[in-house]
Amino acid sequence: MAKYNVENENVEIRLERLFKVEPELLYQAWTDQRFLKQWFMTTARTNKSIQVNTEQNGSYEIIDARNGKQNVIKGAFITLTPYEYIVMTIGMPELSDSEDTIEVEIFEREPGITQMIFNYIALVPRERRYTTLEYKQKKKEYHDSTAHGFETMFDKLQLTLEEFEAGL
């Protein structure tokens, strides 16, 4: 018997970015552990371990250490269309049993300019103690703080790509 809570709702975040790189390099930044350990949920300085299997249904695990605490980030690559499209899951097992979904569309706008459309879908459970208004506020806070976190991460992605292009 399926078990579900009709009060649970998704938070969806959609971000768009332009990068001054070819689509192949942006795709590589999402699938190559040499790039991922510099910007995706970690940094080269705080990354303790990264394992990436970029095959269809392959998985990844990142261990990041900050302020004396280790964070484990795990997920799977659900769909990989080279240089165009990625669907992956992301979860933090210490915080939740659920996984969120990331969808990345990559396409060339003009030579040397690539557009990324990023979609993130997360389940934010409604706790009984929250009124409808409190729950909506909690979802908005989650949306805003998560969107800000991804924007910051994409700033780091931009720097990582610029450094790679410059040969640093």
Side-chain angles (χ1 to χ4, degrees):
M1 180 171 171
K3 181 179 174 184
Y4 63 95
N5 180 346
V6 295
E7 294 178 336
N8 288 346
E9 289 189 41
N10 288 327
V11 168
E12 296 184 27
I13 297 170
R14 179 183 170 101
L15 303 171
E16 295 186 30
R17 281 276 179 122
L18 292 176
F19 295 92
K20 293 180 183 178
V21 297
E22 299 297 323
E24 294 82 5
L25 185 58
L26 183 58
Y27 181 86
Q28 188 179 3
W30 278 95
T31 57
D32 185 317
Q33 76 181 33
R34 292 173 299 160
F35 283 100
L36 289 168
K37 80 177 195 177
Q38 296 180 53
W39 72 273
F40 185 70
M41 305 298 290
T42 191
T43 68
R45 186 177 52 80
T46 62
N47 183 271
K48 296 300 171 206
S49 169
I50 184 167
Q51 297 173 0
V52 180
N53 174 3
T54 51
E55 296 176 359
Q56 201 85 351
N57 297 313
S59 62
Y60 66 90
E61 179 179 281
I62 298 166
I63 300 175
D64 184 73
R66 295 175 198 226
N67 304 321
K69 183 177 180 240
Q70 284 199 356
N71 297 309
V72 177
I73 300 99
K74 292 183 172 187
F77 293 98
I78 306 303
T79 304
L80 292 167
T81 305
Y83 320 127
E84 296 177 10
Y85 186 69
I86 300 166
V87 177
M88 59 196 285
T89 61
I90 183 170
M92 297 181 81
E94 292 101 10
L95 302 178
S96 171
D97 291 335
S98 69
E99 287 189 328
D100 301 332
T101 302
I102 292 174
E103 179 181 8
V104 181
E105 296 176 65
I106 299 168
F107 55 94
E108 191 172 52
R109 288 281 297 263
E110 57 186 72
I113 305 290
T114 299
Q115 182 169 359
M116 177 184 79
I117 300 174
F118 172 85
N119 290 300
Y120 175 79
I121 302 170
L123 186 67
V124 178
R126 180 172 181 170
E127 298 174 28
R128 291 181 187 198
R129 62 190 172 108
Y130 290 129
T131 66
T132 300
L133 179 60
E134 289 171 330
Y135 178 57
K136 285 181 180 178
Q137 288 172 329
K138 178 183 174 188
K139 281 179 53 182
K140 179 167 182 359
E141 289 170 9
Y142 179 86
H143 175 280
D144 294 350
S145 66
T146 302
H148 176 73
F150 281 120
E151 288 283 8
T152 301
M153 214 167 55
F154 296 153
D155 290 343
K156 182 63 179 164
L157 170 58
Q158 179 70 48
L159 288 172
T160 299
L161 293 171
E162 288 172 4
E163 289 172 359
F164 179 82
E165 291 272 280
L168 300 176

